[in-house]
């Protein structure tokens, strides 16, 4: 694009003048004020540019197209330094091209340093600038700078210059504190700001380097602010400081980043910590409940056994978890090598995987409900019972593998950031991040392996175990119904099959408890499968081209990436996205709502969310007139979080 703008020079001539004010059919440019002002040993004047409606000019980093303003003296004798200061700009999106600059009016303060004996300036300043609307026009104007130096009277600044001096970011003022700067690859860095409540402010951020063109993507979440910067050149070739201009709507700052500040190894510690915490939180997510429930039932039965058995079985579960996470990391690496990207939870997009896991869950379910001894021949019944409830090193190892596979539909806080970093990093980091996730996930088993005596806090075996066993069976039956729905079985088929199983279960047990628990189980399955009769909003299907048009129009947009297998996504729908409060807000404020369904593998969705450092769902992003880049919402939503953020950017 920049080559196009340069080629325009062949078609447009420039105007020349020798005054302090120049007008043309597109703009007006002048030197202000009438006398030069002194600031910190430098003399200060301004280049004032007025643009006709719809025209704009550019910041020092113009973006994907354009060219910034420049000024050169015809005769620079007596002038030691000249520097144009750039007020904080705006971002524009025109026909899919992102540019950075100004419209209507802008004043560029100019600092000059003179020879000590210099008492007067009467020189010509050549100003080159580019203005664009439907077309772009490069202009060159020659203006007179004619000032007498009067140090005694050069104290009060011109009001116009003072107004724009306030828009100049303060250099390294310490308002915005960087936690770490990470080298993602040879041409890309990530800037991590210190933890804080970044959700309530509307941030803008731009990057500039004299040595390379750069593109900055801001990632704003509830608790973390970060930015990815892509350079055209290798980072090692960048000799001058990288400048980051940042605003929160009140404060302005320019942060200088030197090449020495960019780290590659120490940053890994931060992501390893996030991975460990995210893995630990996975234990408390509903996806893992069926498997953990079975193991809890098993541990209760062996709680009075020898400590060696508890230690052995816990260690086996730990190994199963480690093995499966390493296997997942190797699969992701393999697909990266062959040029295919995979996201977190990719196995749930595979019908074969869903079918195998459904069969395993069904076997566990009917065993806990007591069907084996009734329905099947004794030989087959004994084999299935042994498979479903075996107390062995192998069974606990497989339970670790199974729990890992079941955990991926649930997203934990911190986990998306860690996985995002790993997938965009080296192969070694992918494996290392996944290992630390497994350590966090397996922590309960590690603890019970080291301290088997802690198992004694579990309830002692008794009559209650029979009812607990039945409850576990019904939980697995609900899970089985959920897996059938993921394989696109219709609601009628799932509910009918469930009803038959429950009816036989009631006849088998013939007690009040079996009737009550069966009714509860069937109610839960029906609630999630039968379509709601409530008025529902119509979500647009995710279309990046349409999204960009809506952003360009300044629309208020809520973008939701979800999947039928993502439990956290479904919780967000029930508690927030389908709530009456949010629906009313969407209607009243004409919010455009768009949804991307990742139930089946979709390359476009994965590519889009990866731009925001995410490789798994849920991902919820809001756009508005005050933030066309998009603000990422927390993985676990609430009505107030979504509404407050939409209000901030509308």
């Amino acid at each position: 694009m920049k080559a196009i703008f340069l080629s325009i020079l062949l078609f447009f001539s420039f105007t020349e003048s020798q005054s302090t004010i120049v007008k043309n059919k597109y703009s007006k440019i002048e030197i202000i004020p009438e006398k030069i002002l002194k600031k910190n040993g430098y003399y200060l004047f301004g280049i004032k540019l007025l643009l006709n409606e719809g025209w704009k000019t550019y910041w020092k980093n113009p973006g994907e197209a354009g060219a910034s303003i420049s000024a050169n003296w015809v005769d620079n004798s007596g002038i030691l330094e000249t520097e144009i200061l750039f007020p904080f700009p705006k971002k524009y999106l025109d026909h899919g091209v992102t540019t950075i600059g100004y419209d209507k009016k802008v004043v560029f303060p100019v600092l000059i340093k003179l020879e000590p004996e210099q008492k007067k300036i009467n020189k010509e300043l050549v100003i080159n600038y580019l203005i664009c609307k439907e077309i772009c026009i490069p202009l060159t104007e020659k203006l007179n700078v004619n000032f007498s130096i009067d140090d005694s009277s050069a104290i009060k600044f011109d009001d116009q210059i003072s107004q724009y001096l306030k828009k100049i970011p303060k250099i390294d003022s310490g308002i915005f504190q960087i936690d770490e700067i990470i080298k993602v690859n040879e041409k890309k860095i990530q800037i991590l700001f210190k933890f804080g409540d970044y959700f309530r402010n509307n941030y803008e951020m731009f990057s500039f380097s004299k040595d390379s063109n750069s593109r900055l993507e801001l990632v704003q979440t509830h608790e973390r602010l970060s930015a990815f910067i892509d350079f055209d050149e290798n980072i090692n070739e960048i000799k001058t400081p990288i400048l980051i201009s940042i605003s929160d709507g009140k404060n302005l700052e320019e942060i200088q980043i030197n090449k020495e500040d960019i780290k590659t190894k120490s940053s890994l510690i931060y992501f390893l910590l996030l991975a460990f915490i995210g893995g630990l939180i996975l234990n408390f997510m509903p996806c893992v409940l069926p498997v953990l429930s079975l193991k809890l039932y098993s541990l209760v039965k062996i709680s009075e056994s020898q400590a060696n058995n508890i230690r052995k079985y816990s260690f086996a579960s730990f190994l199963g978890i480690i093995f499966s996470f390493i296997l997942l990391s190797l699969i992701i690496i393999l697909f990266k090598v062959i040029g295919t990207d995979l996201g977190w939870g990719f196995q749930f997009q595979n019908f074969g995987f869903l079918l195998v896991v459904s069969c395993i869950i069904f076997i566990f379910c009917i065993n806990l409900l007591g069907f084996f001894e009734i329905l099947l021949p004794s030989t087959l019944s004994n084999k299935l019972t042994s498979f479903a409830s075996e107390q062995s090193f192998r069974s606990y190892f497989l339970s670790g593998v199974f729990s890992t596979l079941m955990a991926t539909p649930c997203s934990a806080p911190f986990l998306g950031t860690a996985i995002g970093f790993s997938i965009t990093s080296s192969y070694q980091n992918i494996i290392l991040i996944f290992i630390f996730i497994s350590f966090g996930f397996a922590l309960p088993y590690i603890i019970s392996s080291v301290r088997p005596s802690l198992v004694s806090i579990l309830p002692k075996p008794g009559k209650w175990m029979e009812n607990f066993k039945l409850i576990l069976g019904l939980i697995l039956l609900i899970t089985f119904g959920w897996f059938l729905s993921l394989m696109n079985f219709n609601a009628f088929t799932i509910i009918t099959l469930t009803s038959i199983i429950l009816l036989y279960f009631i006849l088998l047990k013939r007690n009040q408890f079996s009737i009550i628990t069966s009714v509860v189980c069937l109610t839960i399955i029906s609630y999630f499968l039968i379509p709601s009769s409530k008025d529902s909003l119509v979500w647009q299907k995710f279309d990046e081209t349409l999204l960009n048009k809506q952003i360009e129009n300044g629309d208020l947009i809520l973008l939701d990436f979800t999947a039928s297998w993502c439990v956290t996504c479904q919780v967000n729908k029930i508690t927030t996205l389908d709530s009456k409060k949010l629906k009313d807000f969407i209607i009243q404020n004409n919010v455009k709502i768009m949804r991307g369904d990742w139930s089946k593998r979709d390359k476009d969705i994965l590519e889009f969310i990866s731009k925001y450092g995410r490789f798994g769902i849920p991902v919820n992003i809001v756009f508005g007139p005050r933030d066309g880049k998009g603000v990422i919402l927390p993985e676990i939503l609430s009505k107030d979080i979504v509404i407050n953020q939409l209000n901030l950017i509308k």
Side-chain angles (χ1 to χ4, degrees), residues 181 238-239 257-263:
I181 305 166
I238 298 176
K239 307 299 182 183
I257 298 174
N258 298 310
K259 189 168 64 176
E260 297 77 26
D261 300 325
I262 302 174
K263 302 178 181 178

Side-chain angles (χ1 to χ4, degrees), residues 383-449:
K383 288 183 179 180
L384 290 175
T385 301
S386 176
F387 173 75
S389 57
E390 179 184 2
Q391 295 279 355
S392 68
F393 189 94
R394 180 186 65 179
S395 72
Y396 277 84
F397 177 87
L398 292 176
S399 75
V401 174
F402 195 56
S403 62
T404 301
L405 297 176
M406 292 292 292
T408 51
C410 288
S411 179
F414 311 117
L415 201 56
T417 304
I419 292 175
F421 167 78
S422 70
I423 292 178
T424 59
S425 187
S426 64
Y427 299 148
Q428 297 92 329
N429 284 351
I430 293 176
I431 297 174
L432 198 57
I433 290 289
F434 273 72
I435 288 175
F436 269 74
I437 295 173
S438 69
F439 282 167
F441 190 40
L443 185 60
Y445 298 107
I446 296 173
I447 293 173
S448 61
S449 179

Side-chain angles (χ1 to χ4, degrees), residues 318-334 344 346 397 400-401 404-405 427-428 430-439 441:
F318 166 73
L319 288 180
I321 292 171
I322 295 289
F323 168 81
S324 52
F325 270 99
I326 291 177
L327 182 62
L328 285 174
S329 68
L330 293 175
I331 293 173
I332 289 174
I333 290 173
L334 175 63
W344 181 246
F346 66 88
F397 177 87
V401 174
T404 301
L405 297 176
Y427 299 148
Q428 297 92 329
I430 293 176
I431 297 174
L432 198 57
I433 290 289
F434 273 72
I435 288 175
F436 269 74
I437 295 173
S438 69
F439 282 167
F441 190 40

